[in-house]
């Protein structure tokens, strides 16, 4: 659903990349072999200016804040907020 994708989305390589997010903010950068979400209702929300490096997985009901960097091959299943 492209209405939930902000402008400026850049997907470096589409090779083995799965994107099933609830929404993606503006000016995000996604590398190859990334998985964002999966089938089901609990899809991630990606903020503005987020960079998802090669091989990273972001799955489940979580929100990635603005300007976050998710390192190569990282696995994100939930986000913690500092008090």
């Amino acid at each position: 659903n492209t209405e939930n994708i902000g402008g400026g989305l850049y997907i470096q390589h589409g090779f083995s990349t799965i994107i099933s997010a609830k929404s993606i903010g503006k000016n995000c950068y996604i590398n190859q072999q990334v998985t964002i979400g999966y089938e089901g209702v609990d899809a991630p929300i990606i903020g503005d200016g987020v960079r998802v490096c090669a091989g990273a997985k972001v799955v489940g009901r979580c929100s990635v804040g603005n300007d976050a960097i998710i390192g190569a091959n990282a696995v994100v299943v939930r986000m913690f907020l500092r008090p």
Side-chain angles (χ1 to χ4, degrees):
N1 191 354
T2 58
E3 65 191 37
N4 295 328
I5 298 175
L9 174 63
Y10 180 77
I11 300 173
Q12 183 190 25
H13 296 289
F15 173 73
S16 193
T17 299
I18 299 168
I19 301 175
S20 181
K22 187 175 284 185
S23 66
I24 298 176
K26 298 179 287 185
N27 301 316
C28 291
Y29 182 94
I30 299 174
N31 281 91
Q32 70 273 12
Q33 297 180 322
V34 164
T35 299
I36 299 175
Y38 54 91
E39 286 190 33
V41 295
D42 293 336
I45 297 171
I46 307 296
D48 295 336
V50 173
R51 182 180 184 107
V52 185
C53 297
K57 312 295 183 250
V58 182
V59 294
R61 178 183 280 171
C62 63
S63 295
V64 178
N66 294 340
D67 302 315
I69 298 173
I70 299 173
N73 295 313
V75 177
V76 177
V77 293
R78 61 182 158 174
M79 301 298 288
F80 292 99
L81 299 175
R82 294 182 185 168

